[in-house]
mmCIF file of all heavy atoms in Angstrom:
data_model
loop_
_atom_site.group_PDB
_atom_site.id
_atom_site.type_symbol
_atom_site.label_atom_id
_atom_site.label_comp_id
_atom_site.label_asym_id
_atom_site.label_seq_id
_atom_site.Cartn_x
_atom_site.Cartn_y
_atom_site.Cartn_z
ATOM 1 N N ALA A 1 -12.452 -0.595 17.518
ATOM 2 C CA ALA A 1 -12.726 0.615 18.132
ATOM 3 C C ALA A 1 -11.939 1.710 17.382
ATOM 4 O O ALA A 1 -12.394 2.963 17.393
ATOM 5 C CB ALA A 1 -12.014 0.520 19.563
ATOM 6 N N LEU A 2 -10.977 1.370 16.536
ATOM 7 C CA LEU A 2 -10.216 2.416 15.845
ATOM 8 C C LEU A 2 -11.165 3.204 14.756
ATOM 9 O O LEU A 2 -10.917 4.315 14.569
ATOM 10 C CB LEU A 2 -9.076 1.813 14.996
ATOM 11 C CG LEU A 2 -7.866 1.321 15.767
ATOM 12 C CD1 LEU A 2 -6.860 0.557 14.795
ATOM 13 C CD2 LEU A 2 -6.993 2.498 16.360
ATOM 14 N N LEU A 3 -12.153 2.420 14.431
ATOM 15 C CA LEU A 3 -13.075 3.012 13.333
ATOM 16 C C LEU A 3 -14.273 3.684 13.851
ATOM 17 O O LEU A 3 -14.961 4.184 12.986
ATOM 18 C CB LEU A 3 -13.562 1.806 12.373
ATOM 19 C CG LEU A 3 -12.379 0.829 11.894
ATOM 20 C CD1 LEU A 3 -12.953 -0.257 11.050
ATOM 21 C CD2 LEU A 3 -11.527 1.746 11.000
ATOM 22 N N ILE A 4 -14.355 3.900 15.129
ATOM 23 C CA ILE A 4 -15.680 4.288 15.698
ATOM 24 C C ILE A 4 -15.666 5.943 15.454
ATOM 25 O O ILE A 4 -16.491 6.537 14.978
ATOM 26 C CB ILE A 4 -15.771 4.095 17.206
ATOM 27 C CG1 ILE A 4 -16.037 2.479 17.321
ATOM 28 C CG2 ILE A 4 -16.962 4.892 17.842
ATOM 29 C CD1 ILE A 4 -16.161 2.053 18.699
ATOM 30 N N SER A 5 -14.506 6.576 15.858
ATOM 31 C CA SER A 5 -14.403 8.009 15.834
ATOM 32 C C SER A 5 -12.998 8.375 15.974
ATOM 33 O O SER A 5 -12.139 7.550 16.345
ATOM 34 C CB SER A 5 -15.285 8.670 16.808
ATOM 35 O OG SER A 5 -14.770 8.475 18.271
ATOM 36 N N ARG A 6 -12.764 9.620 15.817
ATOM 37 C CA ARG A 6 -11.343 10.109 15.988
ATOM 38 C C ARG A 6 -10.857 10.143 17.446
ATOM 39 O O ARG A 6 -9.794 9.599 17.792
ATOM 40 C CB ARG A 6 -11.153 11.573 15.508
ATOM 41 C CG ARG A 6 -9.865 12.199 15.689
ATOM 42 C CD ARG A 6 -9.769 13.540 15.111
ATOM 43 N NE ARG A 6 -9.869 13.491 13.577
ATOM 44 C CZ ARG A 6 -9.786 14.461 12.795
ATOM 45 N NH1 ARG A 6 -9.585 15.704 13.301
ATOM 46 N NH2 ARG A 6 -9.923 14.372 11.553
ATOM 47 N N ALA A 7 -11.815 10.369 18.258
ATOM 48 C CA ALA A 7 -11.470 10.228 19.755
ATOM 49 C C ALA A 7 -11.238 8.754 20.242
ATOM 50 O O ALA A 7 -10.148 8.574 20.906
ATOM 51 C CB ALA A 7 -12.651 10.773 20.520
ATOM 52 N N TRP A 8 -11.932 7.849 19.721
ATOM 53 C CA TRP A 8 -11.689 6.486 19.903
ATOM 54 C C TRP A 8 -10.263 6.072 19.413
ATOM 55 O O TRP A 8 -9.673 5.257 20.017
ATOM 56 C CB TRP A 8 -12.893 5.631 19.445
ATOM 57 C CG TRP A 8 -14.060 5.577 20.419
ATOM 58 C CD1 TRP A 8 -14.897 6.604 20.700
ATOM 59 C CD2 TRP A 8 -14.565 4.476 21.122
ATOM 60 N NE1 TRP A 8 -15.866 6.302 21.489
ATOM 61 C CE2 TRP A 8 -15.682 4.881 21.869
ATOM 62 C CE3 TRP A 8 -14.070 3.191 21.262
ATOM 63 C CZ2 TRP A 8 -16.394 4.011 22.727
ATOM 64 C CZ3 TRP A 8 -14.911 2.252 22.144
ATOM 65 C CH2 TRP A 8 -15.887 2.688 22.751
ATOM 66 N N CYS A 9 -10.090 6.497 18.214
ATOM 67 C CA CYS A 9 -8.788 6.239 17.545
ATOM 68 C C CYS A 9 -7.625 6.569 18.329
ATOM 69 O O CYS A 9 -6.635 5.890 18.633
ATOM 70 C CB CYS A 9 -8.746 6.693 16.184
ATOM 71 S SG CYS A 9 -7.281 6.317 15.265
ATOM 72 N N GLN A 10 -7.724 7.973 18.857
ATOM 73 C CA GLN A 10 -6.761 8.401 19.611
ATOM 74 C C GLN A 10 -6.456 7.702 21.028
ATOM 75 O O GLN A 10 -5.352 7.648 21.463
ATOM 76 C CB GLN A 10 -6.958 9.941 19.990
ATOM 77 C CG GLN A 10 -6.874 10.792 18.775
ATOM 78 C CD GLN A 10 -7.254 12.222 19.041
ATOM 79 O OE1 GLN A 10 -7.964 12.512 20.049
ATOM 80 N NE2 GLN A 10 -6.780 13.104 18.110
ATOM 81 N N CYS A 11 -7.419 7.078 21.488
ATOM 82 C CA CYS A 11 -7.380 6.302 22.768
ATOM 83 C C CYS A 11 -6.785 4.845 22.495
ATOM 84 O O CYS A 11 -6.105 4.385 23.330
ATOM 85 C CB CYS A 11 -8.642 6.235 23.412
ATOM 86 S SG CYS A 11 -9.173 7.746 24.135
ATOM 87 N N THR A 12 -7.246 4.399 21.234
ATOM 88 C CA THR A 12 -6.964 2.922 20.973
ATOM 89 C C THR A 12 -5.478 2.778 20.461
ATOM 90 O O THR A 12 -4.905 1.748 20.818
ATOM 91 C CB THR A 12 -8.005 2.428 20.003
ATOM 92 O OG1 THR A 12 -9.257 2.601 20.510
ATOM 93 C CG2 THR A 12 -7.691 0.981 19.740
ATOM 94 N N VAL A 13 -4.996 3.573 19.653
ATOM 95 C CA VAL A 13 -3.660 3.441 19.060
ATOM 96 C C VAL A 13 -2.504 3.258 20.050
ATOM 97 O O VAL A 13 -1.734 2.362 19.860
ATOM 98 C CB VAL A 13 -3.449 4.641 18.042
ATOM 99 C CG1 VAL A 13 -1.914 4.580 17.660
ATOM 100 C CG2 VAL A 13 -4.226 4.484 16.854
ATOM 101 N N PRO A 14 -2.478 4.074 21.058
ATOM 102 C CA PRO A 14 -1.468 3.869 22.088
ATOM 103 C C PRO A 14 -1.505 2.330 22.720
ATOM 104 O O PRO A 14 -0.464 1.888 23.048
ATOM 105 C CB PRO A 14 -1.640 4.872 23.236
ATOM 106 C CG PRO A 14 -2.416 5.900 22.327
ATOM 107 C CD PRO A 14 -3.178 5.343 21.406
ATOM 108 N N ILE A 15 -2.650 1.951 22.922
ATOM 109 C CA ILE A 15 -2.836 0.571 23.533
ATOM 110 C C ILE A 15 -2.269 -0.521 22.615
ATOM 111 O O ILE A 15 -1.548 -1.308 22.962
ATOM 112 C CB ILE A 15 -4.442 0.259 23.877
ATOM 113 C CG1 ILE A 15 -4.881 1.325 24.811
ATOM 114 C CG2 ILE A 15 -4.612 -1.174 24.388
ATOM 115 C CD1 ILE A 15 -6.455 1.136 25.131
ATOM 116 N N ILE A 16 -2.574 -0.284 21.366
ATOM 117 C CA ILE A 16 -2.165 -1.405 20.371
ATOM 118 C C ILE A 16 -0.680 -1.303 20.175
ATOM 119 O O ILE A 16 -0.012 -2.374 20.128
ATOM 120 C CB ILE A 16 -2.881 -1.236 19.108
ATOM 121 C CG1 ILE A 16 -4.322 -1.342 19.106
ATOM 122 C CG2 ILE A 16 -2.305 -1.947 17.887
ATOM 123 C CD1 ILE A 16 -5.118 -1.102 17.852
ATOM 124 N N TRP A 17 -0.112 -0.037 20.240
ATOM 125 C CA TRP A 17 1.356 0.034 19.982
ATOM 126 C C TRP A 17 2.207 -0.016 21.187
ATOM 127 O O TRP A 17 3.434 -0.075 21.046
ATOM 128 C CB TRP A 17 1.632 1.369 19.253
ATOM 129 C CG TRP A 17 1.300 1.158 17.784
ATOM 130 C CD1 TRP A 17 0.172 1.223 17.059
ATOM 131 C CD2 TRP A 17 2.256 0.860 16.749
ATOM 132 N NE1 TRP A 17 0.431 1.157 15.830
ATOM 133 C CE2 TRP A 17 1.583 0.809 15.618
ATOM 134 C CE3 TRP A 17 3.697 0.744 16.789
ATOM 135 C CZ2 TRP A 17 2.364 0.509 14.376
ATOM 136 C CZ3 TRP A 17 4.473 0.436 15.751
ATOM 137 C CH2 TRP A 17 3.732 0.293 14.444
ATOM 138 N N THR A 18 1.649 -0.176 22.354
ATOM 139 C CA THR A 18 2.404 -0.362 23.521
ATOM 140 C C THR A 18 3.370 -1.622 23.474
ATOM 141 O O THR A 18 4.580 -1.444 23.772
ATOM 142 C CB THR A 18 1.577 -0.605 24.727
ATOM 143 O OG1 THR A 18 0.877 0.837 24.996
ATOM 144 C CG2 THR A 18 2.330 -0.840 26.059
ATOM 145 N N LYS A 19 2.722 -2.620 22.776
ATOM 146 C CA LYS A 19 3.516 -3.874 22.784
ATOM 147 C C LYS A 19 3.238 -4.535 21.412
ATOM 148 O O LYS A 19 2.455 -5.434 21.331
ATOM 149 C CB LYS A 19 3.110 -4.900 23.830
ATOM 150 C CG LYS A 19 3.877 -6.157 23.875
ATOM 151 C CD LYS A 19 3.522 -7.085 24.958
ATOM 152 C CE LYS A 19 4.255 -8.280 24.975
ATOM 153 N NZ LYS A 19 3.905 -9.236 26.047
ATOM 154 N N PRO A 20 3.867 -4.194 20.243
ATOM 155 C CA PRO A 20 3.761 -4.758 19.006
ATOM 156 C C PRO A 20 4.053 -6.394 19.182
ATOM 157 O O PRO A 20 4.939 -6.767 19.820
ATOM 158 C CB PRO A 20 4.779 -4.163 18.169
ATOM 159 C CG PRO A 20 4.973 -2.753 18.820
ATOM 160 C CD PRO A 20 4.940 -3.126 20.255
ATOM 161 N N SER A 21 3.302 -7.209 18.507
ATOM 162 C CA SER A 21 3.336 -8.530 18.615
ATOM 163 C C SER A 21 4.110 -9.261 17.437
ATOM 164 O O SER A 21 3.919 -8.984 16.348
ATOM 165 C CB SER A 21 1.954 -9.315 18.619
ATOM 166 O OG SER A 21 1.945 -10.596 18.681
ATOM 167 N N PHE A 22 5.130 -10.026 17.653
ATOM 168 C CA PHE A 22 5.851 -10.789 16.666
ATOM 169 C C PHE A 22 5.692 -12.278 16.978
ATOM 170 O O PHE A 22 5.773 -12.637 18.153
ATOM 171 C CB PHE A 22 7.353 -10.440 16.652
ATOM 172 C CG PHE A 22 7.440 -8.935 16.600
ATOM 173 C CD1 PHE A 22 8.006 -8.118 17.677
ATOM 174 C CD2 PHE A 22 7.079 -8.215 15.450
ATOM 175 C CE1 PHE A 22 8.231 -6.718 17.463
ATOM 176 C CE2 PHE A 22 7.268 -6.907 15.273
ATOM 177 C CZ PHE A 22 7.750 -6.176 16.357
ATOM 178 N N THR A 23 5.460 -12.971 15.861
ATOM 179 C CA THR A 23 5.412 -14.579 16.112
ATOM 180 C C THR A 23 6.293 -15.166 14.929
ATOM 181 O O THR A 23 6.495 -14.529 13.883
ATOM 182 C CB THR A 23 4.122 -15.063 15.915
ATOM 183 O OG1 THR A 23 3.551 -14.775 14.652
ATOM 184 C CG2 THR A 23 3.139 -14.365 17.038
ATOM 185 N N ALA A 24 6.753 -16.383 15.147
ATOM 186 C CA ALA A 24 7.580 -17.041 14.166
ATOM 187 C C ALA A 24 6.694 -17.431 12.874
ATOM 188 O O ALA A 24 7.096 -17.585 11.803
ATOM 189 C CB ALA A 24 8.080 -18.365 14.759
ATOM 190 N N LYS A 25 5.352 -17.600 13.202
ATOM 191 C CA LYS A 25 4.329 -17.956 12.148
ATOM 192 C C LYS A 25 4.128 -16.785 11.175
ATOM 193 O O LYS A 25 3.617 -16.916 10.076
ATOM 194 C CB LYS A 25 3.101 -18.459 12.746
ATOM 195 C CG LYS A 25 3.246 -19.714 13.550
ATOM 196 C CD LYS A 25 1.868 -20.108 14.130
ATOM 197 C CE LYS A 25 1.995 -21.412 14.795
ATOM 198 N NZ LYS A 25 0.607 -21.948 15.371
ATOM 199 N N ASP A 26 4.433 -15.597 11.635
ATOM 200 C CA ASP A 26 4.244 -14.380 10.794
ATOM 201 C C ASP A 26 5.484 -13.541 10.717
ATOM 202 O O ASP A 26 5.570 -12.415 11.300
ATOM 203 C CB ASP A 26 3.054 -13.645 11.387
ATOM 204 C CG ASP A 26 2.644 -12.390 10.426
ATOM 205 O OD1 ASP A 26 3.087 -12.433 9.257
ATOM 206 O OD2 ASP A 26 1.885 -11.485 10.947
ATOM 207 N N PRO A 27 6.399 -13.967 9.843
ATOM 208 C CA PRO A 27 7.831 -13.283 9.806
ATOM 209 C C PRO A 27 7.639 -11.863 9.288
ATOM 210 O O PRO A 27 8.512 -11.046 9.341
ATOM 211 C CB PRO A 27 8.562 -14.249 9.045
ATOM 212 C CG PRO A 27 7.654 -15.037 8.198
ATOM 213 C CD PRO A 27 6.494 -15.281 9.050
ATOM 214 N N LYS A 28 6.489 -11.611 8.432
ATOM 215 C CA LYS A 28 6.386 -10.316 7.914
ATOM 216 C C LYS A 28 5.907 -9.288 8.751
ATOM 217 O O LYS A 28 5.982 -7.934 8.423
ATOM 218 C CB LYS A 28 5.379 -10.476 6.676
ATOM 219 C CG LYS A 28 5.809 -11.400 5.455
ATOM 220 C CD LYS A 28 4.840 -11.355 4.421
ATOM 221 C CE LYS A 28 5.389 -12.211 3.219
ATOM 222 N NZ LYS A 28 4.263 -12.193 2.148
#
């Protein structure tokens, strides 16, 4: 959805960044 348009990007980014995901399998 980020790649559809600027408007879609502005709506999608806050959703993704509300809760960044961290796992032991991906320490980076």
Side-chain angles (χ1 to χ4, degrees):
L2 289 171
L3 306 177
I4 295 177
S5 67
R6 179 173 295 182
W8 278 69
C9 180
Q10 290 175 337
C11 293
T12 306
V13 168
I15 297 174
I16 294 176
W17 276 85
T18 293
K19 184 181 178 181
S21 178
F22 305 113
T23 64
K25 295 181 179 180
D26 186 13
K28 293 183 179 180

